[in-house]
Amino acid sequence: RVNTVTNDIVSNQKKPKVALPIQPSKKALAIQQKWQEAANVMGGSKACIVVNKIKAKRLIFKVLHNAFKPMNITDLYKTLKAVVPAPVLKSCLDEMSVNVQKSSCCGSDDD
């Protein structure tokens, strides 16, 4: 068969199915809504929550760099005004502290 509009040969092959994006669960949406409400309360109506770990780590580093003083997780959470939800913040801090502990910046006692 020939398609009269484009003069192409029409094949009977099936088109590959395109995977639909995965929809978040109701539980995930409820948690996101809870975090967004907390962000709105602490940071105003234009507050935006950050759950991407790479972006969250950049924000954490920026806050620590600008403060130039030691801060605990509560101080960081208050400073970020709920921009980074507590579970994401804790996970990022855990990863960041593990990376520091594994680095050889302080030398080793094996000498």
Side-chain angles (χ1 to χ4, degrees), residues 1 8 18 22 25 36 50 53 59 72 75 79 82 84 91 102:
R1 296 184 332 188
D8 293 335
V18 178
I22 298 173
S25 68
Q36 186 62 51
V50 176
K53 284 188 178 183
L59 286 173
N72 63 23
D75 293 336
T79 303
V84 180
S91 175
K102 288 183 179 180

Side-chain angles (χ1 to χ4, degrees):
R1 296 184 332 188
V2 176
N3 187 337
T4 57
V5 176
T6 61
N7 293 330
D8 293 335
I9 296 177
V10 178
S11 67
N12 291 332
Q13 295 177 350
K14 294 181 180 179
K15 293 182 180 178
K17 293 183 180 180
V18 178
L20 298 175
I22 298 173
Q23 296 295 324
S25 68
K26 289 181 181 181
K27 184 177 178 181
L29 290 173
I31 291 171
Q32 191 272 341
Q33 182 63 30
K34 177 183 164 188
W35 289 343
Q36 186 62 51
E37 287 171 3
N40 290 345
V41 168
M42 297 179 81
S45 62
K46 294 187 178 186
C48 179
I49 58 172
V50 176
V51 293
N52 181 329
K53 284 188 178 183
I54 295 170
K55 291 180 181 179
K57 287 178 184 180
R58 287 183 188 148
L59 286 173
I60 292 166
F61 181 78
K62 186 176 180 180
V63 166
L64 291 172
H65 181 74
N66 291 341
F68 199 67
K69 65 178 183 180
M71 299 177 83
N72 63 23
I73 192 169
T74 305
D75 293 336
L76 280 171
Y77 184 74
K78 288 179 181 177
T79 303
L80 292 172
K81 295 185 178 180
V83 172
V84 180
V88 176
L89 181 64
K90 182 172 179 347
S91 175
C92 288
L93 290 173
D94 288 343
E95 286 180 13
M96 292 167 81
S97 68
V98 167
N99 289 340
V100 169
Q101 292 170 358
K102 288 183 179 180
S103 70
S104 61
C105 66
C106 302
S108 65
D109 294 334
D110 295 340
D111 295 335

